[in-house]
Amino acid sequence: MPRLLPLFFALLLATAARAEVAPEALRRGGEAAAAFARQVPPSTPATALPRLSDPAARPMLEALWNSEAVLAGRPQGEAGTPALQRWGDASAMVLRRYLGILQSGVNDQAELGRRIAAHQDELTRGFTFLLRVGTSVQQGARDRVSRLPEAQRQGPEVKQALERLGTGLAQISQGMLGLLRTPGLRPENSRAMAEALAQDLPLFRPLLTAPLRQAVAQSAAGLTPTLQDAPTRAAVERVQRMLAGAE
């Protein structure tokens, strides 16, 4: 899973004047990521991964995946975006750790499916948060770009940086659509991911190249017939329509 916006703000010499997201949420998110890295090395067995259902682990995970704080900071401007990106990078590390541990030593797809279903609450929160952060970071990036001189705005470095961000958001979207295929996924989790995609897609769709739009649309189209929950299916169908330019 790529960094959300590698070197973009260093490239454009951006500075963080103030945070759009609450500074306390940023601080607690960073502390939670550091605590997770200490407590959950890659050798951790799947049975020992932190769970939202565990009262001892829940505060750490809720601070790490605080989507409400990210949404409250929208529309995200340039100010505070580098700090938000660091939080997103930390959350991506945690999600990679979960997925790596769940896949470790598993050769049987049925067993992997059972592991993913057992940890669906954490994966749902992690993917949804990563999408929310990525969407907000690209808002901040586009805010920065909008105030650059015309020649710099149209330059290849800016174009490539924004394309990388679009690629990252498409990959997160694909990961969420893949997770929606998990047998035993509860409706509250499937709805959370599908609705987050439907809500955020209009905000980052301009960054998706035609091949990226097509790839995500094909994943959504292949998924739709398998969805039993009506609100989830409606949200995924809306994603398809937006990618096709019908909305």
Short mmCIF file of all heavy atoms in Angstrom, two decimals, residues 146-199:
data_model
loop_
_atom_site.label_atom_id
_atom_site.label_comp_id
_atom_site.label_asym_id
_atom_site.label_seq_id
_atom_site.Cartn_x
_atom_site.Cartn_y
_atom_site.Cartn_z
N SER A 146 -3.74 24.91 -6.68
CA SER A 146 -4.59 25.96 -7.25
C SER A 146 -3.98 27.34 -7.08
O SER A 146 -4.36 28.27 -7.81
CB SER A 146 -5.97 25.92 -6.60
OG SER A 146 -5.92 26.39 -5.25
N ARG A 147 -3.07 27.50 -6.13
CA ARG A 147 -2.48 28.82 -5.88
C ARG A 147 -1.06 28.94 -6.41
O ARG A 147 -0.38 29.92 -6.12
CB ARG A 147 -2.56 29.13 -4.39
CG ARG A 147 -4.00 29.39 -3.94
CD ARG A 147 -4.15 29.69 -2.46
NE ARG A 147 -4.03 28.50 -1.64
CZ ARG A 147 -2.97 28.18 -0.92
NH1 ARG A 147 -1.92 28.98 -0.92
NH2 ARG A 147 -2.94 27.09 -0.20
N LEU A 148 -0.59 27.95 -7.15
CA LEU A 148 0.72 28.03 -7.78
C LEU A 148 0.63 28.85 -9.06
O LEU A 148 -0.44 28.96 -9.67
CB LEU A 148 1.22 26.62 -8.12
CG LEU A 148 1.59 25.70 -6.96
CD1 LEU A 148 1.89 24.30 -7.50
CD2 LEU A 148 2.77 26.24 -6.19
N PRO A 149 1.74 29.42 -9.51
CA PRO A 149 1.75 30.07 -10.82
C PRO A 149 1.33 29.09 -11.91
O PRO A 149 1.58 27.89 -11.80
CB PRO A 149 3.22 30.50 -10.98
CG PRO A 149 3.75 30.57 -9.59
CD PRO A 149 3.03 29.51 -8.82
N GLU A 150 0.71 29.62 -12.95
CA GLU A 150 0.17 28.77 -14.01
C GLU A 150 1.21 27.82 -14.58
O GLU A 150 0.93 26.62 -14.77
CB GLU A 150 -0.38 29.66 -15.14
CG GLU A 150 -0.89 28.89 -16.34
CD GLU A 150 -2.14 28.08 -16.04
OE1 GLU A 150 -2.81 28.36 -15.03
OE2 GLU A 150 -2.44 27.15 -16.82
N ALA A 151 2.41 28.29 -14.83
CA ALA A 151 3.45 27.44 -15.43
C ALA A 151 3.79 26.27 -14.52
O ALA A 151 3.98 25.14 -14.98
CB ALA A 151 4.69 28.27 -15.73
N GLN A 152 3.88 26.53 -13.22
CA GLN A 152 4.20 25.46 -12.27
C GLN A 152 3.03 24.50 -12.13
O GLN A 152 3.21 23.29 -11.99
CB GLN A 152 4.57 26.06 -10.92
CG GLN A 152 5.24 25.08 -9.97
CD GLN A 152 5.76 25.76 -8.72
OE1 GLN A 152 5.71 26.98 -8.61
NE2 GLN A 152 6.27 24.98 -7.79
N ARG A 153 1.81 25.06 -12.18
CA ARG A 153 0.61 24.23 -12.05
C ARG A 153 0.54 23.20 -13.16
O ARG A 153 0.07 22.08 -12.96
CB ARG A 153 -0.64 25.12 -12.10
CG ARG A 153 -1.52 24.92 -10.92
CD ARG A 153 -2.78 25.71 -10.89
NE ARG A 153 -3.20 26.51 -11.99
CZ ARG A 153 -3.18 27.83 -12.00
NH1 ARG A 153 -2.70 28.51 -10.98
NH2 ARG A 153 -3.63 28.49 -13.04
N GLN A 154 0.97 23.59 -14.35
CA GLN A 154 0.89 22.71 -15.51
C GLN A 154 2.15 21.88 -15.71
O GLN A 154 2.25 21.13 -16.69
CB GLN A 154 0.64 23.55 -16.78
CG GLN A 154 -0.63 24.38 -16.74
CD GLN A 154 -1.86 23.53 -16.55
OE1 GLN A 154 -1.95 22.41 -17.04
NE2 GLN A 154 -2.84 24.05 -15.81
N GLY A 155 3.10 21.99 -14.80
CA GLY A 155 4.37 21.29 -14.95
C GLY A 155 4.24 19.79 -14.72
O GLY A 155 3.32 19.32 -14.06
N PRO A 156 5.19 19.02 -15.25
CA PRO A 156 5.13 17.56 -15.14
C PRO A 156 5.25 17.05 -13.71
O PRO A 156 4.66 16.03 -13.37
CB PRO A 156 6.30 17.08 -16.00
CG PRO A 156 7.23 18.26 -16.07
CD PRO A 156 6.36 19.46 -16.04
N GLU A 157 6.00 17.76 -12.86
CA GLU A 157 6.17 17.27 -11.49
C GLU A 157 4.85 17.31 -10.72
O GLU A 157 4.50 16.37 -10.00
CB GLU A 157 7.23 18.11 -10.76
CG GLU A 157 8.63 17.90 -11.31
CD GLU A 157 9.64 18.79 -10.62
OE1 GLU A 157 9.25 19.85 -10.10
OE2 GLU A 157 10.82 18.43 -10.59
N VAL A 158 4.11 18.40 -10.89
CA VAL A 158 2.82 18.51 -10.22
C VAL A 158 1.86 17.46 -10.78
O VAL A 158 1.16 16.77 -10.02
CB VAL A 158 2.24 19.92 -10.40
CG1 VAL A 158 0.79 19.97 -9.95
CG2 VAL A 158 3.07 20.93 -9.61
N LYS A 159 1.83 17.32 -12.09
CA LYS A 159 0.94 16.34 -12.72
C LYS A 159 1.25 14.93 -12.22
O LYS A 159 0.33 14.17 -11.87
CB LYS A 159 1.09 16.41 -14.23
CG LYS A 159 0.20 15.43 -14.97
CD LYS A 159 0.37 15.54 -16.48
CE LYS A 159 -0.51 14.52 -17.21
NZ LYS A 159 -0.31 14.60 -18.69
N GLN A 160 2.51 14.57 -12.16
CA GLN A 160 2.88 13.23 -11.72
C GLN A 160 2.54 13.01 -10.25
O GLN A 160 2.09 11.91 -9.88
CB GLN A 160 4.38 13.01 -11.97
CG GLN A 160 4.75 12.90 -13.44
CD GLN A 160 6.24 13.00 -13.67
OE1 GLN A 160 7.04 12.96 -12.72
NE2 GLN A 160 6.64 13.13 -14.93
N ALA A 161 2.74 14.03 -9.42
CA ALA A 161 2.42 13.88 -8.00
C ALA A 161 0.92 13.66 -7.80
O ALA A 161 0.51 12.80 -7.00
CB ALA A 161 2.87 15.13 -7.24
N LEU A 162 0.10 14.40 -8.52
CA LEU A 162 -1.34 14.23 -8.39
C LEU A 162 -1.79 12.88 -8.95
O LEU A 162 -2.70 12.24 -8.40
CB LEU A 162 -2.07 15.37 -9.10
CG LEU A 162 -1.91 16.75 -8.45
CD1 LEU A 162 -2.60 17.81 -9.28
CD2 LEU A 162 -2.44 16.76 -7.01
N GLU A 163 -1.14 12.44 -10.01
CA GLU A 163 -1.48 11.12 -10.56
C GLU A 163 -1.13 10.01 -9.58
O GLU A 163 -1.87 9.02 -9.44
CB GLU A 163 -0.76 10.89 -11.90
CG GLU A 163 -1.35 11.68 -13.05
CD GLU A 163 -0.62 11.45 -14.36
OE1 GLU A 163 0.46 10.81 -14.33
OE2 GLU A 163 -1.13 11.90 -15.40
N ARG A 164 -0.01 10.16 -8.86
CA ARG A 164 0.34 9.16 -7.85
C ARG A 164 -0.70 9.13 -6.74
O ARG A 164 -1.05 8.05 -6.24
CB ARG A 164 1.73 9.46 -7.26
CG ARG A 164 2.88 9.14 -8.20
CD ARG A 164 4.20 9.06 -7.44
NE ARG A 164 4.54 10.32 -6.81
CZ ARG A 164 5.24 11.28 -7.37
NH1 ARG A 164 5.65 11.15 -8.63
NH2 ARG A 164 5.55 12.38 -6.71
N LEU A 165 -1.18 10.29 -6.37
CA LEU A 165 -2.21 10.33 -5.33
C LEU A 165 -3.49 9.66 -5.82
O LEU A 165 -4.14 8.92 -5.08
CB LEU A 165 -2.48 11.77 -4.93
CG LEU A 165 -3.50 11.99 -3.80
CD1 LEU A 165 -3.16 11.15 -2.59
CD2 LEU A 165 -3.56 13.45 -3.44
N GLY A 166 -3.86 9.92 -7.07
CA GLY A 166 -5.03 9.26 -7.63
C GLY A 166 -4.86 7.75 -7.67
O GLY A 166 -5.79 7.00 -7.37
N THR A 167 -3.66 7.30 -8.01
CA THR A 167 -3.39 5.86 -8.03
C THR A 167 -3.55 5.26 -6.64
O THR A 167 -4.14 4.18 -6.48
CB THR A 167 -1.98 5.59 -8.56
OG1 THR A 167 -1.88 6.07 -9.91
CG2 THR A 167 -1.65 4.11 -8.53
N GLY A 168 -3.04 5.95 -5.62
CA GLY A 168 -3.17 5.46 -4.25
C GLY A 168 -4.62 5.35 -3.83
O GLY A 168 -5.03 4.36 -3.20
N LEU A 169 -5.43 6.34 -4.16
CA LEU A 169 -6.84 6.31 -3.80
C LEU A 169 -7.58 5.21 -4.55
O LEU A 169 -8.48 4.56 -4.01
CB LEU A 169 -7.48 7.67 -4.05
CG LEU A 169 -7.15 8.72 -2.98
CD1 LEU A 169 -7.37 10.13 -3.51
CD2 LEU A 169 -7.96 8.47 -1.73
N ALA A 170 -7.20 4.98 -5.80
CA ALA A 170 -7.81 3.87 -6.55
C ALA A 170 -7.45 2.53 -5.91
O ALA A 170 -8.31 1.63 -5.82
CB ALA A 170 -7.35 3.91 -8.01
N GLN A 171 -6.22 2.40 -5.44
CA GLN A 171 -5.81 1.15 -4.80
C GLN A 171 -6.56 0.93 -3.49
O GLN A 171 -6.95 -0.20 -3.17
CB GLN A 171 -4.30 1.15 -4.58
CG GLN A 171 -3.52 1.05 -5.88
CD GLN A 171 -2.03 1.20 -5.67
OE1 GLN A 171 -1.56 1.64 -4.62
NE2 GLN A 171 -1.25 0.83 -6.68
N ILE A 172 -6.75 1.99 -2.73
CA ILE A 172 -7.53 1.86 -1.50
C ILE A 172 -8.96 1.46 -1.83
O ILE A 172 -9.55 0.59 -1.18
CB ILE A 172 -7.50 3.18 -0.70
CG1 ILE A 172 -6.08 3.49 -0.22
CG2 ILE A 172 -8.45 3.11 0.49
CD1 ILE A 172 -5.90 4.91 0.29
N SER A 173 -9.53 2.08 -2.86
CA SER A 173 -10.89 1.74 -3.28
C SER A 173 -10.99 0.27 -3.69
O SER A 173 -11.95 -0.42 -3.32
CB SER A 173 -11.32 2.63 -4.45
OG SER A 173 -11.27 4.00 -4.11
N GLN A 174 -10.00 -0.20 -4.43
CA GLN A 174 -9.99 -1.60 -4.83
C GLN A 174 -9.89 -2.52 -3.62
O GLN A 174 -10.53 -3.58 -3.57
CB GLN A 174 -8.80 -1.86 -5.77
CG GLN A 174 -8.87 -1.15 -7.11
CD GLN A 174 -9.69 -1.92 -8.13
OE1 GLN A 174 -10.81 -2.36 -7.85
NE2 GLN A 174 -9.16 -2.08 -9.32
N GLY A 175 -9.10 -2.12 -2.64
CA GLY A 175 -8.99 -2.93 -1.42
C GLY A 175 -10.31 -3.03 -0.69
O GLY A 175 -10.69 -4.10 -0.18
N MET A 176 -11.04 -1.93 -0.63
CA MET A 176 -12.34 -1.93 0.03
C MET A 176 -13.35 -2.78 -0.73
O MET A 176 -14.12 -3.54 -0.12
CB MET A 176 -12.84 -0.50 0.19
CG MET A 176 -11.96 0.33 1.11
SD MET A 176 -12.44 2.08 1.18
CE MET A 176 -13.84 2.00 2.29
N LEU A 177 -13.35 -2.67 -2.05
CA LEU A 177 -14.26 -3.49 -2.84
C LEU A 177 -13.92 -4.97 -2.69
O LEU A 177 -14.82 -5.82 -2.64
CB LEU A 177 -14.20 -3.07 -4.31
CG LEU A 177 -14.77 -1.68 -4.61
CD1 LEU A 177 -14.41 -1.25 -6.04
CD2 LEU A 177 -16.29 -1.65 -4.41
N GLY A 178 -12.63 -5.28 -2.59
CA GLY A 178 -12.24 -6.66 -2.36
C GLY A 178 -12.72 -7.17 -1.02
O GLY A 178 -13.19 -8.31 -0.89
N LEU A 179 -12.61 -6.32 0.00
CA LEU A 179 -13.06 -6.72 1.33
C LEU A 179 -14.56 -6.94 1.37
O LEU A 179 -15.07 -7.77 2.13
CB LEU A 179 -12.64 -5.66 2.36
CG LEU A 179 -12.84 -5.99 3.84
CD1 LEU A 179 -12.14 -7.29 4.22
CD2 LEU A 179 -12.33 -4.84 4.70
N LEU A 180 -15.30 -6.20 0.54
CA LEU A 180 -16.75 -6.38 0.48
C LEU A 180 -17.15 -7.76 -0.03
O LEU A 180 -18.31 -8.17 0.12
CB LEU A 180 -17.37 -5.30 -0.40
CG LEU A 180 -17.47 -3.91 0.21
CD1 LEU A 180 -17.91 -2.89 -0.83
CD2 LEU A 180 -18.45 -3.90 1.38
N ARG A 181 -16.22 -8.50 -0.62
CA ARG A 181 -16.50 -9.86 -1.08
C ARG A 181 -16.38 -10.89 0.04
O ARG A 181 -16.69 -12.07 -0.17
CB ARG A 181 -15.54 -10.24 -2.21
CG ARG A 181 -15.71 -9.44 -3.49
CD ARG A 181 -14.75 -9.92 -4.56
NE ARG A 181 -14.94 -9.21 -5.82
CZ ARG A 181 -15.82 -9.55 -6.75
NH1 ARG A 181 -16.61 -10.62 -6.53
NH2 ARG A 181 -15.95 -8.86 -7.85
N THR A 182 -15.94 -10.49 1.21
CA THR A 182 -15.68 -11.42 2.30
C THR A 182 -16.97 -12.11 2.76
O THR A 182 -17.92 -11.43 3.16
CB THR A 182 -15.05 -10.69 3.50
OG1 THR A 182 -13.84 -10.05 3.07
CG2 THR A 182 -14.74 -11.66 4.63
N PRO A 183 -17.03 -13.42 2.71
CA PRO A 183 -18.20 -14.12 3.26
C PRO A 183 -18.34 -13.83 4.75
O PRO A 183 -17.36 -13.80 5.49
CB PRO A 183 -17.88 -15.60 3.02
CG PRO A 183 -16.86 -15.61 1.92
CD PRO A 183 -16.06 -14.36 2.12
N GLY A 184 -19.56 -13.59 5.18
CA GLY A 184 -19.79 -13.33 6.60
C GLY A 184 -19.59 -11.88 7.01
O GLY A 184 -19.66 -11.56 8.19
N LEU A 185 -19.37 -10.99 6.03
CA LEU A 185 -19.24 -9.57 6.37
C LEU A 185 -20.58 -9.03 6.84
O LEU A 185 -21.59 -9.18 6.16
CB LEU A 185 -18.76 -8.80 5.14
CG LEU A 185 -18.27 -7.37 5.36
CD1 LEU A 185 -16.99 -7.36 6.19
CD2 LEU A 185 -18.03 -6.68 4.02
N ARG A 186 -20.59 -8.43 8.02
CA ARG A 186 -21.85 -7.96 8.58
C ARG A 186 -22.31 -6.70 7.86
O ARG A 186 -21.50 -5.90 7.38
CB ARG A 186 -21.70 -7.69 10.08
CG ARG A 186 -21.43 -8.96 10.89
CD ARG A 186 -21.58 -8.69 12.39
NE ARG A 186 -20.65 -7.66 12.84
CZ ARG A 186 -19.37 -7.89 13.13
NH1 ARG A 186 -18.87 -9.12 13.03
NH2 ARG A 186 -18.60 -6.92 13.54
N PRO A 187 -23.65 -6.50 7.79
CA PRO A 187 -24.18 -5.35 7.05
C PRO A 187 -23.63 -4.02 7.52
O PRO A 187 -23.38 -3.13 6.69
CB PRO A 187 -25.69 -5.46 7.28
CG PRO A 187 -25.94 -6.90 7.51
CD PRO A 187 -24.73 -7.39 8.26
N GLU A 188 -23.43 -3.84 8.82
CA GLU A 188 -22.95 -2.55 9.29
C GLU A 188 -21.55 -2.24 8.75
O GLU A 188 -21.20 -1.08 8.50
CB GLU A 188 -22.96 -2.46 10.81
CG GLU A 188 -22.07 -3.46 11.53
CD GLU A 188 -22.78 -4.75 11.91
OE1 GLU A 188 -23.77 -5.10 11.24
OE2 GLU A 188 -22.34 -5.38 12.89
N ASN A 189 -20.74 -3.29 8.56
CA ASN A 189 -19.41 -3.08 8.01
C ASN A 189 -19.45 -2.88 6.50
O ASN A 189 -18.75 -2.01 5.96
CB ASN A 189 -18.51 -4.25 8.38
CG ASN A 189 -18.08 -4.22 9.84
OD1 ASN A 189 -17.97 -3.15 10.43
ND2 ASN A 189 -17.87 -5.38 10.43
N SER A 190 -20.24 -3.67 5.80
CA SER A 190 -20.32 -3.50 4.35
C SER A 190 -20.89 -2.13 4.00
O SER A 190 -20.41 -1.46 3.08
CB SER A 190 -21.16 -4.61 3.71
OG SER A 190 -22.51 -4.52 4.08
N ARG A 191 -21.87 -1.69 4.76
CA ARG A 191 -22.46 -0.37 4.49
C ARG A 191 -21.46 0.74 4.77
O ARG A 191 -21.39 1.72 4.02
CB ARG A 191 -23.71 -0.17 5.36
CG ARG A 191 -24.87 -1.06 4.97
CD ARG A 191 -26.02 -0.93 5.94
NE ARG A 191 -27.04 -1.95 5.68
CZ ARG A 191 -28.12 -2.11 6.43
NH1 ARG A 191 -28.34 -1.34 7.48
NH2 ARG A 191 -28.98 -3.06 6.13
N ALA A 192 -20.70 0.62 5.86
CA ALA A 192 -19.73 1.66 6.21
C ALA A 192 -18.73 1.87 5.07
O ALA A 192 -18.42 3.00 4.69
CB ALA A 192 -19.00 1.30 7.49
N MET A 193 -18.22 0.78 4.51
CA MET A 193 -17.24 0.91 3.44
C MET A 193 -17.86 1.39 2.14
O MET A 193 -17.33 2.28 1.47
CB MET A 193 -16.52 -0.43 3.23
CG MET A 193 -15.56 -0.76 4.35
SD MET A 193 -14.54 -2.21 3.98
CE MET A 193 -15.77 -3.52 4.16
N ALA A 194 -18.99 0.80 1.76
CA ALA A 194 -19.62 1.18 0.50
C ALA A 194 -20.07 2.64 0.53
O ALA A 194 -19.91 3.37 -0.46
CB ALA A 194 -20.81 0.26 0.21
N GLU A 195 -20.63 3.07 1.65
CA GLU A 195 -21.11 4.45 1.73
C GLU A 195 -19.95 5.44 1.79
O GLU A 195 -20.04 6.54 1.24
CB GLU A 195 -22.04 4.60 2.93
CG GLU A 195 -23.37 3.87 2.71
CD GLU A 195 -24.23 3.77 3.95
OE1 GLU A 195 -23.80 4.29 5.02
OE2 GLU A 195 -25.31 3.17 3.87
N ALA A 196 -18.84 5.06 2.43
CA ALA A 196 -17.67 5.93 2.42
C ALA A 196 -17.14 6.11 1.00
O ALA A 196 -16.78 7.23 0.60
CB ALA A 196 -16.58 5.36 3.32
N LEU A 197 -17.11 5.04 0.23
CA LEU A 197 -16.68 5.14 -1.17
C LEU A 197 -17.61 6.06 -1.96
O LEU A 197 -17.15 6.92 -2.72
CB LEU A 197 -16.66 3.76 -1.81
CG LEU A 197 -15.38 2.93 -1.65
CD1 LEU A 197 -15.60 1.52 -2.17
CD2 LEU A 197 -14.22 3.59 -2.38
N ALA A 198 -18.91 5.87 -1.79
CA ALA A 198 -19.86 6.68 -2.53
C ALA A 198 -19.79 8.15 -2.14
O ALA A 198 -19.98 9.04 -2.98
CB ALA A 198 -21.28 6.15 -2.32
N GLN A 199 -19.49 8.44 -0.88
CA GLN A 199 -19.41 9.82 -0.42
C GLN A 199 -18.12 10.50 -0.85
O GLN A 199 -18.12 11.69 -1.20
CB GLN A 199 -19.53 9.85 1.11
CG GLN A 199 -20.90 9.48 1.62
CD GLN A 199 -20.89 9.18 3.11
OE1 GLN A 199 -19.88 9.37 3.80
NE2 GLN A 199 -22.00 8.68 3.62
#
